[in-house]
Amino acid sequence: MEHGITSWFSLWCISQLVEQRLADGVLLCQRHGRHWQPLLAAGVPLPDAPLSVAGKRPFQRLSYPLCRHLNMGSGQFLSLSAQYDGYALFLLQRRRHVRLSKTAWLGFFASVFTHADRAQQAMSVLPLFEYFPLPLVRATPDGVVEWTNRAVRRIAGKTAANMAGRSLREFSLGADWPETRRLYQRLANEPELGIAVMEKHYLHPKGHLLLGETQLTLVRTADNQPLCLMGTLASLRPRATAPQGMSLRFIPAPEQPEGVMICDASSRIEQVSPAFERVTGYRASDVQGSHPSLLRSGLHSREFYREMNRALNEQGRWQGEVWNRRRCGQVYPERLSISSLYDQQGQAHFVAVFSEMKQPDAAEQNAPPEEKDTLTGLTNRASFQQRLARYCRLNEPFALMILDINNFRMFNNAINHRVGDRVLQEVAARLRDRLRSGDDLARIGSDEFALLVPGIAHPRQARIFGRHLLNALARPLAMAEQQLYVDATIGGALWPGLNEKDAESLLQHAEQALFGAKQKHESLALYDDELNRSQSRRIRLQHDLTDAIRQGGLRLHYQPIVDTASGRITKLEALVRWHHAELGPISPMEFVPVAEECGMVQALGDWVLNRACADLHRLKLAGQSLHMAINRSSLEFQSLGLDGDEWLSIIERHGLDPQQIIFEITESLFMQGNEHHLERIDALRKAGCRIVIDDFGTGFSALNYLRAFPIDLVKIDKSFIDHLPGNHKDGLLLEGILRIIGDLGMQVVIEGMETPAQAAYLSTQPCHFLQGYLIARPMPLRELLIFLETYAGHTIPAAD
């Protein structure tokens, strides 16, 4: 609870207090008996003692003695109990006898509900606005009431239940309704309209006529689709004269959301917003703990920054224009506002809010039309090859980098081609934002982009720049009513290099580096001698793996899985192992992708299923009643019949009940949008087999898969518990996922449990099965039999 309210308070201070819209200072307080204990402060020092408030109204003026005690002139009390029981805000002004004007509240309405990010956040906490003096209504895009606050219900004389589901038409004159409906449609189709201001007549439920001015805006989803209408009454008064029709005007929407940076008392960066990452090119993890000076462009004098610090120390606020430098080195201008914020210990923090001052790129504007890719506006492949040859002739150092979108076909197949085109356009835009002056970007294939980066002469520089590009795609793309995650791989080569003779050979080597990165499931690779050796090894493994599968060169090891309810081993996971006669142990992370590339993955999977079933039958004869978990890839599903008969026949041939078999699959199987896969899974489940999502949390991890697809168990990846106990955020994330999975009626397997401390922590969580080195490492069948005979049950140490 406290984490949620303090997070909302921070949002309030950043979006409202810093912009000086509603108050000179704000206190967040929690009720303790008859008093209010201050928790957080913005714009004012945090009081040491609890505060007393006369009266019990949810919105009221604060007494002058209380305001004077806080060194303020006047203030208002605002209850937040509709969302957070027992919490309230004290809105304080330095001047006496200040009552927040309707204009101030309307400014609040505009600042929140016309910014996409703020509006979407506000939709999730609408009950916070229950006691606001501003009448607020949420309605569907066609005018059906979904939510109202107390001020609206008091005017209408209705309860919340009586208001929800009613059409706004009931409160309008019949003659005005067609024009009102057309306005709703215009707001949905024309985002640039901003706020519509209507003056029209309304019918009170008791029958009398009222003249009101309504401000109305349309809130959109993350992918810019209409979500709902938000409206407020700016004025409402009796009107006895005959209605003359409605009048209409528009207020332009405010600018796009600003970037935010919060620093501690030592001016070290604590938090930054997504807009900060987008504008500067730095991720939050890159700048936390650093000083804001890393953004300095070098264009301002020391005296400029001295004046800024003097204003912050004396007035608690500074505003102006600043030239800063992005991570890629590009200099840009911004409008900047800095204010002070005080925490519960009275320590000063600084909140910087900035918006970029865009400048047109003349080079992009003047580029010949024939050099452009029609979809993205970037240089096309033919023109890029000409530029690459020109770069090589100059004989100056540069890097050629090729970025390929992984699984791009998924967007076209699983959703549609229109979304695939929008993904390409968004990727192009994000890459363009990361370029330095003089860099070249082109689209050279359906889902491939190429970059020419002058001045890079060392592989380390190229890797840093490559990660800088990949960071541009770290945030999800908001479109098609969902969050789409784009994963990419980069291959690069440097000029001049040892083996590069011309532009063609350089391009070939960059492509080879890209292919090598994909083979290793790495995000970035550069062409070098090691890459050559790696590809030679891969070719050898392809040949030798075929022989190993056919001639019995592979082995299965089994890792026990414990039922937390009984402490007994009830399941095993079958894990394939390969010990090469000359190269030694080969990791499955290396040889399974090789099997997929050379078309042997089905043969490998069938061998694993056969051997695992045979060993499970042996365990059954030895008196061990266990279930076996077997990994199957999406490629293996493609060769399986819709009735699953090939796999089921193997299970039955070994005298096993299908209920003893668990098939582990990854989330990527669902991402392919293949309906036949669902038929195959349904057939396996109807026969008795169970389905597990493996390594949940390492891929796309969309929770809607858990809701929409036939899944029995979810296996949580070990990365979620690696830092537990001790990491508060990891703990909150894990507990949230476990709660959601449990509410959906599924069971959970947590893998990677390696320490007694982890076991103690997990004993307090609603997980059903545990797997990890603390219980046992994977072992061959002979060792497993001995282990099972001597295993006394898993006991979890008591938590501290």
Side-chain angles (χ1 to χ4, degrees):
M1 168 68 77
E2 188 161 319
H3 175 74
I5 183 66
T6 54
S7 297
W8 182 84
F9 177 75
S10 297
L11 171 66
W12 172 279
C13 292
I14 290 169
S15 62
Q16 303 303 320
L17 178 67
V18 172
E19 295 177 6
Q20 296 293 304
R21 291 187 182 274
L22 290 176
D24 298 317
V26 181
L27 292 177
L28 172 67
C29 300
Q30 184 180 18
R31 179 185 292 277
H32 285 279
R34 300 188 339 187
H35 296 85
W36 292 90
Q37 177 63 48
L39 298 178
L40 291 173
V44 293
L46 190 71
D48 296 326
L51 307 174
S52 297
V53 177
K56 296 183 179 180
R57 288 179 297 167
F59 182 78
Q60 61 181 354
R61 297 184 66 179
L62 295 173
S63 67
Y64 177 67
L66 174 59
C67 295
R68 186 175 57 186
H69 172 70
L70 298 172
N71 294 318
M72 302 298 279
S74 54
Q76 287 80 31
F77 171 91
L78 178 61
S79 172
L80 304 178
S81 61
Q83 177 78 16
Y84 298 108
D85 188 33
Y87 289 84
L89 289 180
F90 290 22
L91 308 178
L92 304 167
Q93 289 80 29
R94 293 188 176 88
R95 293 184 296 113
R96 290 194 62 184
H97 308 300
V98 174
R99 294 190 65 172
L100 289 176
S101 67
K102 188 168 294 184
T103 301
W105 289 109
L106 292 174
F108 157 80
F109 176 84
S111 69
V112 172
F113 293 105
T114 59
H115 281 85
D117 291 347
R118 293 178 189 167
Q120 291 160 18
Q121 291 171 325
M123 290 301 101
S124 65
V125 289
L126 270 181
L128 279 171
F129 306 113
E130 171 70 16
Y131 298 115
F132 273 56
L134 200 67
L136 295 174
V137 177
R138 170 178 171 157
T140 64
D142 58 355
V144 177
V145 176
E146 294 180 316
W147 174 86
T148 57
N149 71 351
R150 193 180 70 152
V152 171
R153 298 194 298 273
R154 186 172 62 247
I155 295 171
K158 301 287 184 181
T159 65
N162 290 337
M163 287 291 292
R166 302 182 68 175
S167 173
L168 293 175
R169 180 176 186 174
E170 298 180 35
F171 306 95
S172 299
L173 289 182
D176 289 344
W177 182 246
E179 189 173 353
T180 303
R181 285 294 304 274
R182 285 192 292 271
L183 171 63
Y184 296 168
Q185 193 62 47
R186 285 192 66 187
L187 290 173
N189 296 336
E190 302 176 52
E192 66 276 9
L193 290 178
I195 298 176
V197 182
M198 295 187 297
E199 187 176 60
K200 54 181 288 188
H201 284 82
Y202 293 90
L203 286 173
H204 191 274
K206 293 184 178 180
H208 54 273
L209 202 61
L210 300 170
L211 180 63
E213 182 182 280
T214 300
Q215 293 193 9
L216 196 67
T217 187
L218 191 129
V219 178
R220 298 178 179 274
T221 62
D223 62 335
N224 207 34
Q225 297 301 310
L227 174 63
C228 65
L229 292 166
M230 282 300 302
T232 181
L233 280 169
S235 65
L236 190 67
R237 58 188 184 276
R239 180 69 177 266
T241 59
Q244 303 296 321
M246 61 179 282
S247 63
L248 180 66
R249 60 189 174 89
F250 295 95
I251 301 174
E255 296 179 354
Q256 293 299 310
E258 303 88 345
V260 177
M261 175 176 65
I262 301 179
C263 299
D264 62 18
S266 301
S267 296
R268 292 188 181 275
I269 299 173
E270 293 183 321
Q271 301 176 47
V272 296
S273 70
F276 174 97
E277 297 179 325
R278 173 179 54 79
V279 173
T280 68
Y282 287 94
R283 297 185 64 184
S285 58
D286 298 329
V287 299
Q288 285 175 346
S290 301
H291 290 281
S293 57
L294 63 86
L295 300 173
R296 288 185 180 179
S297 63
L299 300 180
H300 296 291
S301 65
R302 291 184 179 180
E303 185 59 27
F304 175 87
Y305 293 107
R306 289 196 190 100
E307 288 297 324
M308 179 188 295
N309 292 329
R310 187 177 299 117
L312 285 172
N313 292 332
E314 296 176 0
Q315 304 170 24
R317 183 175 177 81
W318 183 89
Q319 285 182 311
E321 295 181 2
V322 176
W323 284 84
N324 274 339
R325 187 181 300 274
R326 306 185 207 274
R327 182 173 182 174
C328 64
Q330 183 185 28
V331 174
Y332 68 99
E334 67 180 27
R335 294 185 181 90
L336 177 64
S337 172
I338 309 176
S339 296
S340 58
L341 177 72
Y342 295 88
D343 64 16
Q344 199 166 352
Q345 288 72 40
Q347 292 292 320
H349 296 245
F350 300 98
V351 181
V353 181
F354 65 90
S355 58
E356 184 180 5
M357 301 165 61
K358 291 288 187 181
Q359 292 184 326
D361 190 333
E364 285 294 324
Q365 291 179 346
N366 298 329
E370 63 271 17
E371 292 191 2
K372 297 295 182 181
D373 168 59
T374 55
L375 179 64
T376 62
L378 300 177
T379 302
N380 62 20
R381 185 179 183 91
S383 298
F384 171 78
Q385 289 177 321
Q386 294 176 3
R387 294 187 183 187
L388 176 60
R390 188 161 59 247
Y391 270 66
C392 291
R393 287 195 299 269
L394 292 174
N395 209 30
E396 294 291 333
F398 71 92
L400 166 61
M401 313 197 83
I402 299 177
L403 181 145
D404 179 83
I405 301 175
N406 299 330
N407 303 314
F408 177 72
R409 191 177 302 172
M410 170 193 68
F411 296 109
N412 290 332
N413 294 346
I415 309 176
N416 56 55
H417 287 278
R418 181 176 60 85
V419 171
D421 288 347
R422 290 182 61 191
V423 167
L424 291 172
Q425 291 169 339
E426 178 66 17
V427 169
R430 292 194 183 186
L431 293 177
R432 188 188 289 114
D433 285 344
R434 296 296 175 103
L435 297 185
R436 309 170 305 171
S437 177
D439 296 342
D440 272 319
L441 174 64
R443 181 186 176 209
I444 61 172
S446 62
D447 59 347
E448 276 192 354
F449 298 84
L451 298 98
L452 298 173
V453 192
I456 290 184
H458 192 276
R460 181 175 177 275
Q461 294 174 293
R463 290 189 180 93
I464 292 173
F465 190 82
R467 287 192 291 270
H468 172 63
L469 296 174
L470 292 171
N471 287 341
L473 308 181
R475 291 180 292 108
L477 278 59
M479 55 184 66
E481 298 184 357
Q482 62 179 308
Q483 299 284 337
L484 299 182
Y485 286 84
V486 174
D487 188 30
T489 304
I490 291 179
L494 301 184
W495 179 275
L498 296 177
N499 302 315
E500 282 75 24
K501 300 177 181 179
D502 50 26
E504 183 178 351
S505 64
L506 182 67
L507 183 59
Q508 181 182 4
H509 289 160
E511 293 277 9
Q512 289 177 1
L514 175 66
F515 180 70
K518 285 182 172 289
Q519 286 179 323
K520 294 182 178 180
H521 296 286
E522 296 176 350
S523 59
L524 174 65
L526 300 178
Y527 179 83
D528 55 17
D529 290 339
E530 182 180 349
L531 179 62
N532 266 339
R533 291 192 297 271
S534 174
Q535 292 178 341
S536 298
R537 174 184 171 92
R538 203 135 183 123
I539 294 171
R540 178 177 181 180
L541 290 182
Q542 288 180 4
H543 177 270
D544 294 350
L545 179 60
T546 303
D547 292 339
I549 294 173
R550 292 173 177 171
Q551 300 173 13
L554 302 177
R555 296 289 182 270
L556 281 188
H557 285 194
Y558 301 98
Q559 186 170 29
I561 300 174
V562 166
D563 186 325
T564 58
S566 64
R568 296 188 302 105
I569 293 171
T570 58
K571 296 176 175 55
L572 304 171
E573 182 180 3
L575 300 166
V576 63
R577 297 290 185 260
W578 181 22
H579 193 283
H580 194 280
E582 298 179 13
L583 301 178
I586 310 295
S587 168
M589 298 294 291
E590 182 178 11
F591 70 78
V592 171
V594 170
E596 293 176 345
E597 292 165 13
C598 65
M600 291 298 294
V601 68
Q602 285 85 1
L604 175 61
D606 289 343
W607 181 88
V608 170
L609 181 58
N610 260 300
R611 178 51 58 91
C613 287
D615 288 347
L616 187 59
H617 181 70
R618 294 187 184 98
L619 290 168
K620 181 179 178 181
L621 295 176
Q624 300 289 346
S625 179
L626 299 168
H627 294 165
M628 181 72 74
I630 301 169
N631 293 278
R632 302 307 295 249
S633 71
S634 59
L635 289 176
E636 294 174 71
F637 268 82
Q638 293 178 6
S639 63
L640 180 64
L642 297 182
D643 57 3
D645 185 61
E646 295 94 325
W647 296 357
L648 294 173
S649 63
I650 293 175
I651 297 170
E652 293 170 3
R653 187 164 65 245
H654 289 283
L656 300 175
D657 187 332
Q659 293 184 9
Q660 295 178 264
I661 301 300
I662 304 168
F663 288 112
E664 296 194 0
I665 59 179
T666 60
E667 299 161 88
S668 61
L669 186 73
F670 296 127
M671 292 295 294
Q672 295 172 4
N674 190 326
E675 294 182 1
H676 294 318
H677 287 344
L678 295 180
E679 292 185 51
R680 296 174 179 116
I681 290 175
D682 281 332
L684 293 171
R685 295 181 79 239
K686 287 177 181 177
C689 300
R690 284 185 289 173
I691 303 298
V692 178
I693 283 191
D694 192 17
D695 296 332
F696 183 82
T698 60
F700 295 94
S701 305
L703 293 175
N704 62 307
Y705 297 147
L706 304 182
R707 174 182 56 84
F709 294 104
I711 300 162
D712 300 292
L713 297 98
V714 178
K715 179 173 280 191
I716 305 297
D717 186 72
K718 72 181 294 293
S719 60
F720 279 83
I721 67 168
D722 280 343
H723 305 292
L724 294 177
N727 188 305
H728 180 64
K729 290 184 178 179
D730 282 5
L732 289 176
L733 183 59
L734 177 63
E735 291 167 16
I737 291 174
L738 292 176
R739 185 166 55 252
I740 292 172
I741 295 173
D743 290 344
L744 292 174
M746 300 171 192
Q747 293 185 310
V748 174
V749 183
I750 294 185
E751 61 180 344
M753 186 179 70
E754 298 179 353
T755 68
Q758 290 174 338
Y761 174 82
L762 293 175
S763 69
T764 67
Q765 302 304 317
C767 50
H768 305 89
F769 302 98
L770 297 174
Q771 178 180 356
Y773 288 174
L774 186 64
I775 300 168
R777 292 176 177 268
M779 63 190 80
L781 183 63
R782 286 185 180 179
E783 295 180 18
L784 177 67
L785 284 168
I786 299 172
F787 177 82
L788 293 174
E789 291 174 358
T790 59
Y791 185 72
H794 180 66
T795 57
I796 298 175
D800 293 335

